[in-house]
């Protein structure tokens, strides 16, 4: 019986096409960021569903794909939930956003990988100093709220809500 869901390579192709015209803050093709986040999920032990969500993690937020597309896509419910969990909503409070990530199984690993790539010193080095400072502070604040700052964070909550298998 054939699998009713899109394969990981199909999801990658859809994400690459959806973000084809988009660049990151440094002017690089946006697909490079998506690939890095998906690879970050993989090397952190994430499964295929988390990797699929990583490829799509900015698609709805950036308007590359619609929420309706996501709802109708041949994707497991868990993938859709992770994508929506890491999708920042207009005017949303940072505490509500990070709380949703922590409450959604599998989503924390995607956001952790996203933050790691966004905060990569090599990526930040090409930005103007004011932008680099603003983003560094923003990423640190989000990492802290998610318990990813190396300090005493919600470790039990992270492990229960965000299993590494997928």
């Amino acid at each position: 019986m054939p699998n009713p869901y899109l394969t990981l390579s199909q999801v990658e192709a859809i994400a690459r096409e959806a973000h084809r015209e988009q660049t990151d803050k440094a002017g690089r093709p946006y697909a490079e960021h998506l690939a890095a986040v998906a690879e970050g999920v993989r090397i952190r032990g994430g499964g295929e569903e988390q990797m699929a969500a990583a490829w799509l993690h900015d698609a709805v937020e950036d308007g590359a794909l619609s929420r309706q597309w996501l709802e109708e896509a041949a994707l497991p419910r868990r993938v859709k939930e992770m994508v929506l969990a890491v999708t920042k909503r207009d005017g949303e409070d940072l505490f509500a956003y990070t709380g949703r990530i922590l409450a959604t199984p599998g989503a924390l690993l995607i956001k952790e990988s996203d933050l790691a790539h966004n905060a990569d010193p090599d990526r930040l080095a090409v930005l103007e100093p004011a932008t680099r400072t603003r983003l560094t502070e923003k990423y640190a604040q989000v990492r802290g709220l998610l318990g990813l700052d190396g300090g005493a964070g919600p470790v039990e909550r992270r492990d229960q809500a965000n299993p590494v298998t997928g």
Side-chain angles (χ1 to χ4, degrees), residues 113-164:
S113 182
D114 179 42
L115 288 167
H117 189 248
N118 283 338
D120 181 296
D122 292 335
R123 287 187 82 211
L124 291 171
V126 301
L127 302 176
E128 294 193 16
T131 301
R132 183 171 51 245
T133 299
R134 179 181 58 80
L135 292 175
T136 298
E137 290 171 358
K138 173 185 165 185
Y139 301 147
Q141 181 182 20
V142 174
R143 287 184 62 78
L145 290 170
L146 293 171
L148 298 171
D149 57 1
V155 175
E156 295 86 7
R157 211 162 126 199
R158 174 183 175 196
D159 291 342
Q160 291 171 358
N162 293 285
V164 182

Side-chain angles (χ1 to χ4, degrees), residues 3-87:
N3 187 338
Y5 298 123
L6 294 167
T7 66
L8 185 56
S9 61
Q10 289 171 319
V11 170
E12 176 184 344
I14 289 166
R16 285 182 181 277
E17 177 60 25
H19 290 274
R20 183 181 35 134
E21 301 294 323
Q22 190 177 1
T23 57
D24 67 11
K25 290 173 181 66
R28 301 289 309 158
Y30 203 76
E32 290 178 7
H33 171 64
L34 302 176
V37 174
E39 177 62 9
V41 166
R42 187 193 68 75
I43 64 172
R44 287 173 173 83
E48 283 201 7
E49 288 184 352
Q50 287 172 302
M51 290 174 63
W55 276 106
L56 298 170
H57 80 276
D58 280 334
V60 175
E61 183 175 318
D62 292 350
L65 295 170
S66 70
R67 187 175 176 131
Q68 181 177 346
W69 177 89
L70 183 65
E71 290 169 3
E72 295 172 359
L75 294 165
R77 181 180 55 83
R78 184 167 177 242
V79 171
K80 296 175 185 184
E81 289 172 351
M82 288 185 283
V83 171
L84 292 175
V86 299
T87 299

